[in-house]
């Protein structure tokens, strides 16, 4: 039995699948990841992307933060790929219970997924740091300077988790609950080196852990099925 056939069998026999994904889920939609050869960390800036996307840099160099954020983090023309679409199809078919994602691009929802735990937030939500009024992504994208709240004049911040910031506790609890109760856990498009998010797969208690990634991960030896291939190709090949 090939790895694809094994995955197909597990999907066919389960009504409690959870998908956990990272940046590699969206690279096939044209959104760069951080750590690959062509990722953001390999590009040249005055500061490392990790520094620019930190809470300290946001607070101290807000204008420069937004220049980078609009240029590199807002990929609003991107569209869901085969992986996003198949996960939404699996949910509609009653197979997939939840998507847990490290991505902030909103492509899972655009593809039709409904139960999505966004560990690192979303570029599509932005809020006033004072009066908490929420604004769409267009409010930030269409500006040329630091966005300020029309209601009270305070700074508007993307609802994304920057470096040095903690994850939203309610989102984490939902993700942990879904992973812990899953029969099949499919992990894809993530290097599994970014914590605390990567550590969430340790809550899985089943024996059908699937890892799909182009490159090896630290968890490959613990998985029940490992496929080093295109995530869109592998998930897209699942028959529902």
């Amino acid at each position: 039995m090939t790895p694809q056939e094994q995955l197909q069998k597990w999907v066919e026999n389960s009504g409690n699948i959870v998908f956990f994904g990272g940046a590699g889920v969206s690279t096939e939609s044209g959104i760069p990841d951080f750590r690959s050869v062509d990722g953001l960390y390999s590009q040249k800036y005055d500061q490392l992307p990790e520094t620019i996307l930190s809470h300290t840099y946001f607070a101290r160099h807000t204008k420069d933060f937004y220049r980078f954020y609009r240029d590199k983090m807002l990929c609003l023309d991107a569209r869901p790929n085969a992986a996003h679409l198949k996960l939404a199809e699996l949910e509609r078919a009653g197979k997939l219970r939840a998507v847990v994602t490290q991505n902030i691009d909103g492509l899972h929802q655009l593809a039709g997924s409904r139960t999505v735990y966004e560990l690192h937030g979303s570029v599509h939500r932005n809020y006033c740091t004072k009066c908490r009024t929420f604004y769409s992504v267009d409010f930030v994208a269409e500006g040329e300077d630091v966005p300020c709240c029309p209601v009270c004049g305070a700074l508007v911040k993307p609802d994304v988790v920057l470096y040095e910031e903690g994850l939203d506790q309610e989102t984490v609890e939902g993700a942990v609950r879904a992973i812990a109760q899953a029969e099949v856990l499919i992990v894809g498009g993530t290097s599994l080196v970014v914590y605390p998010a990567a550590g969430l797969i340790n809550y899985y208690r089943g024996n059908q852990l699937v890892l799909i990634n182009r490159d090896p991960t630290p968890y490959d030896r613990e998985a029940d099925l490992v496929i080093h291939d295109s995530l869109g190709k592998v998930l897209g090949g699942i028959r529902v």
Side-chain angles (χ1 to χ4, degrees):
M1 184 178 296
T2 67
Q4 185 77 38
E5 290 170 340
Q6 180 66 76
L7 175 60
Q8 179 68 41
K9 181 179 179 180
W10 286 351
V11 169
E12 289 176 352
N13 294 334
S14 179
N16 184 4
I17 303 168
V18 170
F19 177 81
F20 177 93
V25 179
S26 294
T27 53
E28 292 177 39
S29 293
I31 298 179
D33 62 6
F34 274 68
R35 291 173 174 77
S36 69
V37 174
D38 299 318
L40 288 179
Y41 281 169
S42 301
Q43 301 179 28
K44 302 299 181 183
Y45 297 98
D46 292 338
Q47 300 285 342
L48 287 172
E50 188 171 6
T51 299
I52 299 174
L53 295 173
S54 69
H55 180 84
T56 296
Y57 195 90
F58 173 79
R60 295 179 180 175
H61 309 280
T62 311
K63 188 172 184 177
D64 290 335
F65 168 89
Y66 270 109
R67 185 181 298 117
F68 177 89
Y69 182 80
R70 289 188 178 103
D71 184 36
K72 295 299 179 182
M73 306 307 291
L74 296 183
C75 304
L76 303 183
D77 292 331
R79 290 295 175 263
N81 60 53
H84 297 106
L85 296 171
K86 183 60 67 173
L87 291 169
E89 183 182 358
L90 287 168
E91 184 181 34
R92 290 193 298 272
K95 294 286 188 181
L96 187 84
R97 293 282 182 89
V99 169
V100 180
T101 181
Q102 296 170 280
N103 296 338
I104 60 175
D105 51 49
L107 289 182
H108 285 294
Q109 290 92 330
L110 190 59
S113 291
R114 302 187 64 171
T115 303
V116 182
Y117 296 101
E118 297 174 304
L119 297 175
H120 295 153
S122 172
V123 299
H124 295 278
R125 298 188 301 270
N126 304 271
Y127 64 92
C128 173
T129 54
K130 183 178 180 181
C131 73
R132 312 302 288 187
T133 300
F134 267 76
Y135 295 96
S136 71
V137 66
D138 291 336
F139 179 83
V140 172
E142 294 171 1
E144 296 181 357
D145 208 338
V146 175
C148 293
C149 176
V151 177
C152 71
L155 175 66
V156 172
K157 179 184 181 296
D159 189 16
V160 299
V161 179
L162 302 178
Y163 289 97
E164 303 170 343
E165 295 180 344
L167 304 184
D168 177 73
Q169 193 59 35
E170 185 177 341
T171 302
V172 171
E173 289 174 358
V176 167
R177 188 163 51 247
I179 290 172
Q181 295 173 355
E183 183 177 24
V184 179
L185 177 62
I186 303 175
V187 180
T190 173
S191 58
L192 292 173
V193 297
V194 178
Y195 287 84
L200 295 185
I201 71 171
N202 292 321
Y203 288 95
Y204 178 60
R205 295 291 179 262
N207 59 1
Q208 295 177 336
L209 172 59
V210 183
L211 293 188
I212 308 169
N213 201 51
R214 289 187 181 274
D215 302 311
T217 78
Y219 284 83
D220 280 11
R221 288 179 295 180
E222 301 178 32
D224 302 290
L225 180 63
V226 177
I227 304 177
H228 290 150
D229 205 342
S230 157
L231 187 63
K233 175 184 173 183
V234 175
L235 291 186
I238 295 175
R239 300 183 305 278
V240 180

